[in-house]
Amino acid sequence: MKVIIDHNPHIALSDLKELFRLSEGSASFTANGVQYTIVFSLEKQICVFLWEYNGKKKQEKIELRKEPSNLGQGYVWYFVCPYTRRKCRKLFLDENIIASRYAFNHVYSVQMENKQNIFFRKLGKLDDPRKKYGKPLYRGKITLYGKKNTEVQEKTANHQ
């Protein structure tokens, strides 16, 4: 049976972006009342999670993988799930293990919706031309999304 993971604690590589500017380091954070410590080395391409669960000290070594960006500029870092060996950008934190969503057989709530529910969920978004995700500007220039958004706003302003 699949479990929905929308609100499960997780750590994403984007959360560690500031730390990755250093070649080595450590950080601590708390999730569901459990204190986690991350020790990483980009040179060795490894990340170690340390935490305590039910009075036992736990440790999980996570391999890091660096691959060329599809944009041709720089690299993109990935975690390698210790259970599935799949590369991922987000690891989910169970109190007992740390792994990708595929190791837990988890899905997001949107993946479980049927076509009718998707239709009605999106129906409410048609009133507002602004999407949840989208940048009106990129590097100071207007994007296609920004252009369409301003056109829709001008049309609605003219009709009122």
Side-chain angles (χ1 to χ4, degrees):
M1 179 172 159
K2 296 191 182 286
V3 178
I4 296 175
I5 58 165
D6 289 346
H7 304 293
N8 284 19
H10 63 274
I11 182 102
L13 278 169
S14 58
D15 298 335
L16 302 174
K17 186 187 283 187
E18 290 298 319
L19 287 176
F20 274 28
R21 292 181 192 219
L22 310 169
S23 62
E24 290 185 0
S26 65
S28 296
F29 65 94
T30 304
N32 280 357
V34 178
Q35 178 74 25
Y36 293 90
T37 301
I38 305 170
V39 180
F40 70 94
S41 171
L42 295 181
E43 187 176 294
K44 295 177 185 175
Q45 294 189 350
I46 195 161
C47 189
V48 180
F49 286 82
L50 305 164
W51 74 100
E52 192 172 319
Y53 176 67
N54 283 343
K56 295 181 182 176
K57 293 189 183 259
K58 297 277 194 171
Q59 176 177 327
E60 188 74 59
K61 290 184 182 180
I62 309 290
E63 182 184 331
L64 296 171
R65 185 182 299 165
K66 179 172 78 168
E67 293 187 0
S69 168
N70 65 340
L71 301 175
Q73 298 177 358
Y75 293 94
V76 178
W77 286 95
Y78 293 97
F79 291 121
V80 177
C81 176
Y83 297 95
T84 63
R85 303 301 300 160
R86 293 175 82 160
K87 66 180 184 181
C88 59
R89 305 266 307 150
K90 190 183 286 189
L91 291 173
F92 288 88
L93 310 169
D94 187 353
E95 286 88 8
N96 200 21
I97 64 170
I98 297 175
S100 68
R101 71 184 179 99
Y102 301 104
F104 293 112
N105 197 21
H106 288 169
V107 294
Y108 295 101
S109 61
V110 176
Q111 293 173 291
M112 299 295 285
E113 285 187 10
N114 60 25
K115 288 183 181 180
Q116 186 178 21
N117 288 348
I118 292 170
F119 172 76
F120 286 116
R121 182 174 45 84
K122 288 183 177 179
L123 190 63
K125 292 183 181 177
L126 295 178
D127 300 334
D128 188 10
R130 291 171 282 134
K131 295 184 205 172
K132 184 176 179 182
Y133 304 103
K135 295 180 182 180
L137 296 173
Y138 181 73
R139 293 189 178 176
K141 296 181 182 177
I142 192 161
T143 61
L144 287 175
Y145 165 75
K147 186 176 180 181
K148 288 179 184 177
N149 195 14
T150 54
E151 288 173 359
V152 169
Q153 287 177 349
E154 289 172 359
K155 285 180 183 177
T156 55
N158 291 338
H159 290 293
Q160 293 176 353

